[in-house]
Amino acid sequence: MKETINNRLKDINIENNIWIIYLIVIGLSYYANDLEKDYFLTGNNESKEKYRKINAFIFIILIIVYSYFEKDSIDTLKNNKNNKLYQLSLIGSTAVLISGIIFLYIIIKDKNIDAEIAFN
């Protein structure tokens, strides 16, 4: 029982660090939106490229975070194979990971920043 509590506390500490990462991502997203706005108002190509690079960086970080949750869901399901909630958790974390990969692909391919990309 004590080992289970210690493992859960360790997970909570990791999640607290992830919240800090999310705060940084939110700040970067806010800055990227300003760059996007500048590009559309002024046609400044430098702002456009900075916007694309920042968004690519954001989604690389998010894919790393999403991968952590994917691995955690897989490990939890391995230990609790017959639990439907853990199966659903794995499906959800897989969907989020896939969405991050798709958004990163769009950012890389969309040179004109036509598609709206949002960190959700």
Side-chain angles (χ1 to χ4, degrees):
M1 179 68 170
K2 185 155 177 91
E3 183 179 336
T4 302
I5 292 171
N6 285 339
N7 286 339
R8 189 61 188 131
L9 291 174
K10 180 182 166 195
D11 289 343
I12 291 169
N13 284 332
I14 291 170
E15 289 169 10
N16 284 340
N17 290 328
I18 290 171
W19 282 114
I20 293 169
I21 292 169
Y22 279 150
L23 290 173
I24 293 167
V25 165
I26 289 167
L28 287 171
S29 296
Y30 190 85
Y31 177 59
N33 277 350
D34 281 345
L35 292 169
E36 181 184 26
K37 185 171 141 183
D38 179 62
Y39 167 69
F40 284 119
L41 292 175
T42 67
N44 183 343
N45 282 325
E46 187 176 315
S47 291
K48 177 176 87 168
E49 285 308 308
K50 282 183 183 177
Y51 165 81
R52 290 184 67 242
K53 287 177 183 176
I54 289 171
N55 271 322
F57 179 69
I58 287 168
F59 278 93
I60 289 168
I61 289 173
L62 290 175
I63 288 170
I64 292 167
V65 170
Y66 298 159
S67 295
Y68 165 79
F69 286 116
E70 177 78 0
K71 182 185 178 318
D72 185 56
S73 290
I74 291 168
D75 292 344
T76 302
L77 185 59
K78 282 180 184 176
N79 295 327
N80 303 280
K81 290 185 187 221
N82 294 324
N83 190 312
K84 288 283 187 203
L85 295 178
Y86 294 132
Q87 292 171 354
L88 291 172
S89 177
L90 177 59
I91 291 168
S93 63
T94 301
V96 170
L97 177 60
I98 291 169
S99 75
I101 292 167
I102 290 169
F103 282 133
L104 179 60
Y105 176 81
I106 291 168
I107 291 164
I108 291 168
K109 291 295 187 182
D110 186 12
K111 304 291 185 200
N112 294 321
I113 62 172
D114 293 325
E116 180 61 32
I117 301 297
F119 155 64
N120 323 58

